[in-house]
């Protein structure tokens, strides 16, 4: 059974004539007759009865007519929706300050190019706060560093970030360190203990039985990197933290930390699959492509993309 057969039959019954239906539809009369005959053959019953003035539906034809009309309306509606639909709407994305510095603009630029009807609502905040917003359905997706507070999230490992020792001016030692043990008494400015990056750094120092010389704790990435750029102190940061400073700030010097256990895992977290809009699903996939491109072209160094399977997490009521 084909839609054109339904369409030919319905129009023939509405006009009461195969010849009139052929004129209306702009096709040969023989084509309409052939398709109606095939439809009757498939149903094993007569749908039309010929009269002196044209055709009328049989009882079976009348019973079939209403269902055929409904099927055609649904088919036409589906075709219209397909033609008119474009991925659109607002998608809320949460990024930590370091991640936003390198991913934020690239994601919005890619979205404008590939999905011009999607509006990105970008929220910058600490990983813990973004996790709370995701649980509160204030975000569609976010790049986070831990999932302790996850509630029915879809979680996809995104990448692992190595740490860099970064400094400028008088804060730079003669030999740039590549291990925590080489830091000695170098003054450091670090995020507070509320920050996921600080927990990674503290765990690494503790495993080596070392104690960093922290002269200031700052959760504002802008202020922290400004202090580093002025030579007030050095810091330990992922490559992404230096994105803006390398372009507009003073000359920075950096070296990659090679100690094991000092990488920070980035997790692409979102609401569960059944809660995400088509626009949000498209944005999530696009974000992964943007990250892979940034890594491939060298814009994001010191990272290793993750290829692990995604998983769903349900640690409480939604």
């Amino acid at each position: 059974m084909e839609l054109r057969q339904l369409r030919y039959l319905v129009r023939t019954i509405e006009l009461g004539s195969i010849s009139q239906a052929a004129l209306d539809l702009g096709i040969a009369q023989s084509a309409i007759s052939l398709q109606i005959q095939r439809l009757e053959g498939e149903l094993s019953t007569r749908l039309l009865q010929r009269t002196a003035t044209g055709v009328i539906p049989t009882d079976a034809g009348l019973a079939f007519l209403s269902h055929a009309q409904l099927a055609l309306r649904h088919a036409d509606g589906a075709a219209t929706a397909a033609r008119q639909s474009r991925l659109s709407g607002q998608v809320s994305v949460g990024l930590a300050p370091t991640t936003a510095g390198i991913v934020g603009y690239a994601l919005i630029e890619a979205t404008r190019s590939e999905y011009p009807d999607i509006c990105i609502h970008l929220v910058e905040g600490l990983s813990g706060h973004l996790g709370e917003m995701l649980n509160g359905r204030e975000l569609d997706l976010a790049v986070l560093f831990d999932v302790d507070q996850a509630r029915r999230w879809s979680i996809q490992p995104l990448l692992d970030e190595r740490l860099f020792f970064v400094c400028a001016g008088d804060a730079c030692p003669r030999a740039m360190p590549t291990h925590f043990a080489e830091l000695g008494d170098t003054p450091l400015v670090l995020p507070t203990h509320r920050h996921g990056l600080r927990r990674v750094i503290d765990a690494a120092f503790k495993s080596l039985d070392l104690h960093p010389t922290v002269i200031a704790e700052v959760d504002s990435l802008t202020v922290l990197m400004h202090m580093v750029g002025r030579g007030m102190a050095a810091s330990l940061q992922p490559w992404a933290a230096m994105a803006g400073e390398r372009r507009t700030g003073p000359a920075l010097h950096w070296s990659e930390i090679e100690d094991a256990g000092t990488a920070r895992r980035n997790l692409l977290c979102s609401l569960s699959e059944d809660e995400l809009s088509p626009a949000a699903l498209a944005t999530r996939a696009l974000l992964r492509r943007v990250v892979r491109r940034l890594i491939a072209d060298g814009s994001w160094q010191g990272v290793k993309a993750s290829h692990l399977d995604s998983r769903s997490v349900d640690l409480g009521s939604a």
Side-chain angles (χ1 to χ4, degrees), residues 173-239:
R174 290 186 177 180
M176 294 291 285
T178 57
H179 295 85
F180 276 32
E182 298 169 359
L183 292 175
D185 295 328
T186 302
L188 298 174
V189 53
L190 297 175
T192 67
H193 296 277
R194 297 174 57 244
H195 203 290
L197 175 62
R198 179 62 181 275
R199 292 194 289 272
V200 172
I201 294 172
D202 286 348
F205 273 112
K206 185 176 181 179
S207 68
L208 298 170
D209 197 24
L210 297 174
H211 300 280
T213 303
V214 180
I215 66 164
E217 295 180 324
V218 179
D219 276 339
S220 167
L221 180 62
T222 300
V223 174
L224 187 151
M225 293 305 297
H226 188 65
M227 291 177 63
V228 172
R230 290 296 186 91
M232 295 178 63
S235 190
L236 294 164
Q237 295 289 330
W239 177 267

Side-chain angles (χ1 to χ4, degrees), residues 9-21:
L9 176 70
V10 168
R11 198 63 182 137
T12 297
I13 293 175
E14 288 174 343
L15 296 176
S17 167
I18 292 179
S19 60
Q20 289 300 314

Side-chain angles (χ1 to χ4, degrees), residues 94-97 124-134 139 142-147 149 153 194-197 199 264-265 267 269:
L95 299 175
E124 182 179 304
L126 297 182
S127 180
H129 179 59
L130 295 177
E132 293 174 359
M133 293 184 69
L134 194 59
L139 295 175
V143 178
L144 306 178
F145 310 125
D146 61 67
V147 293
Q149 54 191 325
W153 294 354
R194 297 174 57 244
H195 203 290
L197 175 62
R199 292 194 289 272
R264 179 175 71 171
R265 170 150 291 187
L267 302 166
C269 304

Side-chain angles (χ1 to χ4, degrees), residues 24-44:
D24 184 73
L25 295 171
I27 58 175
Q29 182 174 334
S30 59
I32 291 184
S33 297
L34 176 61
Q35 292 303 323
I36 291 178
Q37 288 172 10
R38 288 180 176 176
L39 181 59
E40 290 177 326
E42 183 176 345
L43 297 175
S44 300

Side-chain angles (χ1 to χ4, degrees), residues 100-102 105 242-250 252 299:
I102 196 167
Y105 175 79
M242 298 181 280
E245 298 296 327
R246 292 195 310 275
R247 290 191 296 267
T248 61
L252 297 176
S299 298

Side-chain angles (χ1 to χ4, degrees), residues 40-316:
E40 290 177 326
E42 183 176 345
L43 297 175
S44 300
T45 186
R46 287 288 181 184
L47 300 174
L48 295 178
Q49 179 181 338
R50 291 185 179 275
T51 69
T53 57
V55 294
I56 59 173
T58 63
D59 289 343
L62 285 173
F64 187 80
L65 177 63
S66 61
H67 294 285
Q69 290 172 325
L70 180 60
L72 289 173
R73 283 199 297 272
H74 284 311
D76 290 341
T80 300
R83 286 192 297 267
Q84 294 179 347
S85 69
R86 300 178 66 180
L87 287 172
S88 61
Q90 185 179 87
V91 179
S92 298
V93 181
L95 299 175
T98 50
T99 313
I102 196 167
V103 175
Y105 175 79
L107 175 62
I108 293 175
E109 183 181 45
T111 304
R112 295 302 302 155
S113 174
E114 296 193 30
Y115 305 113
D117 292 331
I118 293 179
C119 177
I120 297 295
H121 174 208
L122 187 61
V123 178
E124 182 179 304
L126 297 182
S127 180
H129 179 59
L130 295 177
E132 293 174 359
M133 293 184 69
L134 194 59
N135 278 334
R137 306 303 191 269
E138 298 177 74
L139 295 175
D140 295 301
L141 56 141
V143 178
L144 306 178
F145 310 125
D146 61 67
V147 293
D148 292 341
Q149 54 191 325
R151 296 182 188 174
R152 293 191 71 246
W153 294 354
S154 173
I155 301 172
Q156 302 176 358
L158 189 62
L159 56 86
D160 292 330
E161 290 181 288
R162 301 290 300 175
L163 293 184
F164 286 78
F165 174 84
V166 54
C167 62
D170 294 337
C172 290
R174 290 186 177 180
M176 294 291 285
T178 57
H179 295 85
F180 276 32
E182 298 169 359
L183 292 175
D185 295 328
T186 302
L188 298 174
V189 53
L190 297 175
T192 67
H193 296 277
R194 297 174 57 244
H195 203 290
L197 175 62
R198 179 62 181 275
R199 292 194 289 272
V200 172
I201 294 172
D202 286 348
F205 273 112
K206 185 176 181 179
S207 68
L208 298 170
D209 197 24
L210 297 174
H211 300 280
T213 303
V214 180
I215 66 164
E217 295 180 324
V218 179
D219 276 339
S220 167
L221 180 62
T222 300
V223 174
L224 187 151
M225 293 305 297
H226 188 65
M227 291 177 63
V228 172
R230 290 296 186 91
M232 295 178 63
S235 190
L236 294 164
Q237 295 289 330
W239 177 267
M242 298 181 280
E245 298 296 327
R246 292 195 310 275
R247 290 191 296 267
T248 61
L252 297 176
H253 302 276
W254 59 84
S255 56
E256 186 172 344
I257 299 297
E258 300 175 0
D259 290 313
T262 58
R264 179 175 71 171
R265 170 150 291 187
N266 286 233
L267 302 166
L268 179 52
C269 304
S270 68
L271 301 178
S272 59
E273 302 289 327
D274 59 340
E275 294 181 88
L276 288 179
S277 67
L281 287 168
T283 301
R284 186 177 65 178
L286 179 61
L287 193 153
R288 292 188 69 90
R289 296 199 300 273
V290 167
V291 167
R292 286 196 295 267
R293 176 175 58 79
L294 291 171
I295 296 173
D297 66 16
S299 298
W300 200 345
Q301 298 183 25
V303 298
K304 179 181 179 182
S306 177
H307 301 287
L308 299 179
D309 293 334
S310 62
R311 60 189 177 95
S312 295
V313 174
D314 190 346
L315 299 179

